């Protein structure tokens, strides 16, 4: 049972007057995404719909609207800095994204990874229907060991890209059946696959067998992350490969055996901190049960990865799950 924060909400401009539609849309975009200039083609008749899924870590928004242009200027970035990323993928219509002197034209079957930390222009036609997945900067910068892969385009019509598209669709379709832990786990895997796609774009010369080795190593580490004896050497023995093979495969995606093991252990701890069934475990017990040598080692790595301590994340999760007073709705009437 999940104890994390997760909710779904829908916004439709058709539920307010035509004069209020653009104001409602601008307000939601500022809250859901970041501060931008919105340029409506037909403000008096603008119509749009947003379906938002949100946890403490990720957000997926399905949006459909009339023609509009979104602009993030250097001035807005100074006013409201935001280093995070957005994965944009249309299901219908066309999106034009301009960032870092690049232009990407996105149609169904394609997607793009962009950062909110640099100026951009995003415009689309009147038949737009698509998704925007919000991804914390640490989830991209840390695995890829670099900053801002600006306007990185992906082919979502075949292979790994098609799997990513299917996962995003399913994450939306099953939105009312998910918990915070399930939503985050699926989003984690989508981001992991996006990082693999990004590395594939940057390194077309990576041998196919190394791609296979990397995928199997990730699965093995995920299944054995809690084993305190897990190392690069131990996984090499278990999988029947040389340690050098594993190091080369992970180097292609900007990580190491040690870094991958630490990443999976931290995710395991995060999920357990948000799980009501693990409420009885102390931070020290969680550390040992997740493969860490001590609570202090866990706390140091956890703060570096997530920006807060394990105890602070648990406290935040508990606060998010405290039910509102029974008469709260009556007081707001």
């Amino acid at each position: 049972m999940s104890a994390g924060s997760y909710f779904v909400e829908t916004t439709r401009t058709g539920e307010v007057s035509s004069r209020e539609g653009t104001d409602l849309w601008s307000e939601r975009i500022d809250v859901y995404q970041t501060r931008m200039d919105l340029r409506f083609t037909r403000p008096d008749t603008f119509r749009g719909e947003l379906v938002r899924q949100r946890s403490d870590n990720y957000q997926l928004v399905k949006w459909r609207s009339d023609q509009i242009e979104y602009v993030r200027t250097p001035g807005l970035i100074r006013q409201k800095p935001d280093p995070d990323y957005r994965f944009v993928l249309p299901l219908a219509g066309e999106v034009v994204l301009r960032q870092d002197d690049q232009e990407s034209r996105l149609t169904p079957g394609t997607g793009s990874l962009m950062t909110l930390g640099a100026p951009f222009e995003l415009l689309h036609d009147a038949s737009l229907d698509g998704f925007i997945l919000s991804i914390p900067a640490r989830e991209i910068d840390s695995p890829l060991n670099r900053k801002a892969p600006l306007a990185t385009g992906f082919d979502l019509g075949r292979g790994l890209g098609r799997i990513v598209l299917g996962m995003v669709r399913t994450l939306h379709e099953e939105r009312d059946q998910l918990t915070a832990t399930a939503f985050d786990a699926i989003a984690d895997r989508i981001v992991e696959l996006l990082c693999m796609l990004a590395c594939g774009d940057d390194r077309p010369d990576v041998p196919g067998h190394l791609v296979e080795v990397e995928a199997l190593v990730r699965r093995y580490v995920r299944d054995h992350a809690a084993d305190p004896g897990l190392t690069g050497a131990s996984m090499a023995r278990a999988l029947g490969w040389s340690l050098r093979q594993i190091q080369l495969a992970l180097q292609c995606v900007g990580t190491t055996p040690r870094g991958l093991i630490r990443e999976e252990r931290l995710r395991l701890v995060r999920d357990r901190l948000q799980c009501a069934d693990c409420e009885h475990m102390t931070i020290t017990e969680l550390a040992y049960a997740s493969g860490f040598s001590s609570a202090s080692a866990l706390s140091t790595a956890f703060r570096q990865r997530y920006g807060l301590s394990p105890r602070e994340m648990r406290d935040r999760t508990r606060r998010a799950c405290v039910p509102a007073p029974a008469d709260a709705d009556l007081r707001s009437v």
Side-chain angles (χ1 to χ4, degrees):
M1 179 172 133
S2 170
S5 171
Y6 171 74
F7 63 87
V8 179
E9 62 181 357
T10 301
T11 298
R12 299 183 181 90
T13 60
E15 296 176 352
V16 299
S17 69
S18 57
R19 290 181 302 174
E20 297 174 317
T22 55
D23 289 341
L24 176 62
W25 194 264
S26 298
E27 173 192 306
R28 289 293 188 268
I29 294 301
D30 187 67
V31 172
Y32 293 179
Q33 305 300 339
T34 191
R35 191 162 300 162
M36 291 182 275
D37 288 333
L38 277 62
R39 301 169 184 175
F40 299 92
T41 302
R42 299 192 177 190
D44 294 338
T45 59
F46 177 80
R47 287 292 180 267
E49 178 180 281
L50 298 165
V51 181
R52 182 196 196 195
Q53 296 165 251
R54 177 76 190 184
S55 72
D56 294 336
N57 300 293
Y58 294 102
Q59 173 183 271
L60 179 65
V61 174
K62 188 175 188 294
W63 101 103
R64 180 181 58 190
S65 80
D66 294 339
Q67 190 170 10
I68 189 172
E69 180 176 5
Y70 302 88
V71 180
R72 183 128 160 99
T73 64
L76 290 176
I77 292 173
R78 287 192 296 271
Q79 290 176 25
K80 191 174 182 180
D82 192 332
D84 290 343
Y85 292 86
R86 296 295 185 271
F87 177 44
V88 182
L89 56 159
L91 301 176
E94 181 182 69
V95 174
V96 177
L97 172 63
R98 300 188 184 103
Q99 187 172 61
D100 195 36
D101 297 324
Q102 301 179 45
E103 179 175 290
S104 299
R105 290 186 172 270
L106 307 178
T107 55
T110 63
S112 191
L113 185 64
M114 56 179 286
T115 176
L116 300 183
F120 66 81
E121 297 177 16
L122 187 152
L123 55 149
H124 62 74
D125 57 25
S127 59
L128 193 281
D129 188 1
F131 289 109
I132 300 181
L133 177 65
S134 300
I135 307 171
R138 62 177 181 265
E139 300 293 342
I140 299 294
D141 294 340
S142 179
L144 294 185
N145 194 29
R146 62 179 179 177
K147 296 288 184 180
L150 304 180
T152 299
F154 302 108
D155 178 0
L156 305 180
R158 60 188 176 85
L160 195 55
R162 187 175 179 183
I163 293 173
V164 170
L165 176 58
M167 291 178 71
V168 173
R169 283 180 177 272
T170 303
L171 189 60
H172 169 73
E173 292 167 358
E174 299 298 320
R175 59 191 178 277
D176 293 325
Q177 311 303 319
L178 300 175
T179 63
T181 300
F183 180 76
D184 283 344
I186 298 167
D188 279 342
R189 302 311 167 221
I190 291 172
V191 173
E192 182 180 296
L193 295 179
L194 284 177
C195 289
M196 292 174 65
L197 282 173
C199 286
D201 289 341
D202 290 343
R203 297 173 180 265
D205 58 336
V206 174
H209 75 280
L210 288 184
V211 175
E212 181 181 353
V213 169
E214 187 254 344
L216 292 174
V217 166
R218 284 186 180 275
R219 183 183 304 169
Y220 184 86
V221 172
R222 190 172 302 135
D223 292 342
H224 298 84
D227 179 0
L230 181 63
T231 63
S234 70
M235 79 172 78
R237 288 193 299 271
L239 293 171
W241 292 316
S242 70
L243 177 58
R244 182 59 180 160
Q245 265 187 305
I246 291 177
Q247 290 171 332
L248 285 173
L250 295 180
Q251 182 181 341
C252 292
V253 291
T255 190
T256 63
R258 183 178 180 182
L260 180 60
I261 292 168
R262 182 178 63 249
E263 181 72 15
E264 287 300 330
R265 285 174 174 168
L266 288 171
R267 286 181 177 176
L268 179 59
V269 172
R270 185 198 67 188
D271 291 346
R272 287 173 169 174
L273 287 169
Q274 296 175 338
C275 176
D277 292 340
C278 296
E279 274 278 325
H280 66 284
M281 299 178 71
T282 67
I283 301 301
T284 298
E285 289 170 338
L286 276 175
Y288 291 136
S290 305
F292 286 91
S293 59
S294 66
S296 61
L298 166 61
S299 295
T300 298
F302 198 90
R303 185 177 290 279
Q304 289 175 344
R305 182 65 173 82
Y306 295 109
L308 70 171
S309 71
R311 194 172 306 282
E312 288 168 341
M313 175 167 280
R314 170 171 277 175
D315 290 343
R316 186 176 71 175
T317 299
R318 286 170 174 166
R319 289 195 299 271
C321 296
V322 173
D327 60 343
D329 291 339
L330 294 176
R331 292 199 304 268
S332 63
V333 173

